[in-house]
């Protein structure tokens, strides 16, 4: 199934994890680290209370707002602003209808961030290429290695959660951690090149 189809069929937990995983991989752009979103991941566990998502989201926003405001954007300015938008648009309400829109937006945004960090022009409109990739039409697309890897990670997170439910959260977190480290390396290379 394509990424678009997986998001269309995902349940509430899958959608929340999908959007959060995209944000998690981009969180270094906002001054975050491996532990920043871990409490939010915990709110998706099977025994977590429904209100934990909203409470933990608010706490994380406060921390990342402070880091973002204090240090400004790091590395690619446009990529950091895109990551910040994923954070600010995260819904406090954990309902399927609301989360589906956020997960879709995060999917597109994370792919744009990775394209930019792989040397893509931030001013270039890559909407058609990103949408084609999300729909599974990747043949002949000029997808950068970082963007292709991000697409695979997004698909993996949704497949794991669709197949294993709450038990798939650990694997989804591992996929995000790996992706975050790849993004940090890409950001470091870009900063060295631009610096």
């Amino acid at each position: 199934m394509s990424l678009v189809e997986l998001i269309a069929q995902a349940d509430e937990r899958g959608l929340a994890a999908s959007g959060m995983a995209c944000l998690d991989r981009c969180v270094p752009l906002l001054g975050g680290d491996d532990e920043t979103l871990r409490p939010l991941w915990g709110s998706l566990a099977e025994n977590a209370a429904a209100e934990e998502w909203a409470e933990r989201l608010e706490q994380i926003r406060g921390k990342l707002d402070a880091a973002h405001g204090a240090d400004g954007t790091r590395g690619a300015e446009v990529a950091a602003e895109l990551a910040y938008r994923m954070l600010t648009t995260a819904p406090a309400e954990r309902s399927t209808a609301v989360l589906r829109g956020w997960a879709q937006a995060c999917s597109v945004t994370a792919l744009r961030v990775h394209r930019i960090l792989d040397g893509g022009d931030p001013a270039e409109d890559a909407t058609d290429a990103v949408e084609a990739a999300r729909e599974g039409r990747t043949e002949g697309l000029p997808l950068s290695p970082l963007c292709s890897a991000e697409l695979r990670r997004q698909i993996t997170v949704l497949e794991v959660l669709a197949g294993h439910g709450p038990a798939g959260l650990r694997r989804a977190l591992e996929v995000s951690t790996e992706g975050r480290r790849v993004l940090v390396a890409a950001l470091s290379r870009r900063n060295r090149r631009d610096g």
Side-chain angles (χ1 to χ4, degrees):
M1 272 195 286
S2 72
L3 181 54
V4 169
E5 291 169 324
L6 286 166
I7 291 175
Q9 295 182 18
D11 63 10
E12 177 193 300
R13 180 179 281 109
L15 293 168
S18 174
M20 183 173 45
C22 291
L23 173 59
D24 201 4
R25 288 188 291 276
C26 297
V27 84
L29 290 162
L30 304 176
D33 59 23
D34 286 359
E35 298 302 315
T36 303
L37 293 188
R38 197 168 287 268
L40 204 54
W41 282 100
S43 74
L44 297 181
E46 198 164 20
N47 58 352
E51 64 273 7
E52 284 184 38
W53 167 268
E55 291 168 2
R56 293 177 181 185
L57 177 60
E58 197 55 40
Q59 291 167 358
I60 289 164
R61 272 194 184 130
K63 287 178 186 172
L64 289 177
D65 278 347
H68 184 72
D71 299 330
T73 55
R74 299 184 176 153
E77 214 169 277
V78 173
E81 288 304 325
L82 288 169
Y84 191 65
R85 191 177 314 147
M86 281 192 273
L87 172 68
T88 58
T89 58
E93 178 191 346
R94 248 186 69 186
S95 71
T96 304
V98 175
L99 287 168
R100 196 173 314 280
W102 182 63
Q104 290 279 18
C106 287
S107 169
V108 171
T109 301
L111 287 166
R112 288 183 63 202
V113 165
H114 284 77
R115 188 188 69 77
I116 290 167
L117 292 181
D118 217 8
D121 181 357
E124 182 186 333
D125 184 4
T127 305
D128 290 346
V130 167
E131 281 306 320
R134 293 177 71 248
E135 291 168 5
R137 298 180 287 118
T138 55
E139 194 172 327
L141 271 185
L143 281 184
S144 70
L146 262 185
C147 207
S148 295
E150 171 61 14
L151 181 66
R152 284 192 303 274
R153 284 186 193 95
Q154 290 187 26
I155 289 170
T156 300
V157 165
L158 284 158
E159 287 177 341
V160 164
L161 288 161
H164 302 285
L169 283 171
R170 182 179 297 278
R171 176 66 185 131
L173 181 56
E174 288 169 0
V175 169
S176 281
T177 300
E178 173 201 347
R180 190 181 324 109
R181 292 180 181 153
V182 169
L183 183 139
V184 167
L187 186 57
S188 178
R189 282 194 304 273
R190 186 179 178 105
N191 286 344
R192 281 197 306 272
R193 188 191 70 209
D194 295 350

